Amino acid sequence: MSQPVTCDVVVVGAGMVGAACALYAAREGFDVTVVDRGPVAGGTTGAGEGNLLVSDKAPGLELDLALLSGRLWADLAEEYAQAVEYEAKGGVVVASTPEGLSALETFAEGQRAAGVLAEPVAADRLHDLEPYLAPGLAGAVRYPQDTQVMPALAAAHLLRASGARLLTGHTVTEVLRGKDGSVRGVRTDRGELHAPAVVNAAGTWGGAVASLAGVTLPVLPRRGFVLVTEPLPRRVRHKVYAADYVADVASDSAALQTSPVVEGTAAGPVLIGASRERVGFDRSFSLPVVRELAAGATRLFPFLARVHVLRTYLGFRPYLPDHLPAIGPDPRAPGLFHACGHEGAGIGLSTGTGRLIARILAGGTPDLDLTPFRPDRFSEEAV
């Protein structure tokens, strides 16, 4: 770029959250530029399963954001459902023991009070929902509001729908600030982008982008693997996972955790997860982790023992110490906004996040109280 680009808003990150921020900011009338050092959905988004979940969230702030996002996804599905492989298939959370089922039902009772549809499923009715499930399970809870998209397609279509200027292959090297400390845009390795507002939607690398503006945000990567099977006739009808997945999502442990998560896709392959471990940005293949994922999946669906896995892939979930994303303006750098740290829920929470950011940019009242999502909420010890 020989001349600086001037616009209203620069969004750093062309993943799902960045795409949603661009879309809703554009709908508020802003001229938006999206910049990413790689391709669209080249980071965490491209390594995700595309889950839009309420089933794994306890009553509270994240669930409120998930419910808002779910409504917005449903609106977008009226325009883009087929293009982004939107499936309102629901989720089924299963328990293997009576004790596990009791805990699951207690969890679901609290969710129902917060507005979640959570339907108990007796053991003798499980095979009506999922005929290929293993025998002997104690019961389950069905979540009709759980849905799925193909995340890379969704990010691409939302970016296109936003009409934003898209600059891929441009690495942000500095967040520009004026003498008064306010943000004035960004500098990239290929030129400057001038704007009074910069949105940090860089996912797992959100902490690095924050540091370019001279502020701290303690985003850490949590590595996870996904197995992809050969294309199959639809045998797994819902997103199905074991009840201990919820505890794994909420855990602060850096150690490896796996819990079986199985779901079919519109294209035919079955996706198998989920693992979590904090190993930095280590992209090494781990055969022990993959074996654990395969073993957990076959415990839920024995037929999978005879199915070929075509490939595996890994991604890094952007983890913050209190398991809540950073959403909103950063008082330490006026004009800088954060929209990152969603861990493994970024696809599902992206639309609500984008809507909240856009409302703040426009000077309106956001749909949710953003105080708990403040990017400057962490102590120096946490950082």
Side-chain angles (χ1 to χ4, degrees), residues 18 23 55 68 100 141 151 193 230 242 290-291 316 335 346 348 367:
L23 177 69
S55 56
L68 168 64
V141 174
L193 309 174
E230 61 188 306
V290 169
R291 281 176 169 163
F316 300 102
D367 304 78

Side-chain angles (χ1 to χ4, degrees), residues 40 111 189 260 359 379:
V40 172
Q111 290 176 305
D189 58 350
R359 293 294 295 157
S379 66

Side-chain angles (χ1 to χ4, degrees), residues 272-283:
I272 297 170
S275 67
R276 281 174 164 76
E277 56 186 331
R278 292 218 308 268
V279 293
F281 286 101
D282 181 1
R283 299 193 66 87

Side-chain angles (χ1 to χ4, degrees), residues 152-177:
L153 284 175
H157 280 283
L158 264 60
L159 280 171
R160 179 180 296 169
S162 74
R165 184 182 297 104
L166 177 61
L167 302 175
T168 55
H170 292 236
T171 299
V172 174
T173 58
E174 182 184 353
V175 175
L176 303 173
R177 298 179 69 173

Side-chain angles (χ1 to χ4, degrees), residues 132-166:
Y132 293 92
L133 264 175
L137 296 168
V141 174
R142 178 175 177 267
Y143 290 88
Q145 290 159 297
D146 280 359
T147 56
Q148 185 180 24
V149 294
M150 198 292 188
L153 284 175
H157 280 283
L158 264 60
L159 280 171
R160 179 180 296 169
S162 74
R165 184 182 297 104
L166 177 61

Side-chain angles (χ1 to χ4, degrees), residues 65 68 327 351-360 366-368 370:
L65 180 57
L68 168 64
I327 303 173
T351 49
T353 299
R355 166 72 175 263
L356 293 171
I357 291 291
R359 293 294 295 157
I360 301 166
D367 304 78
L368 301 174
L370 291 184

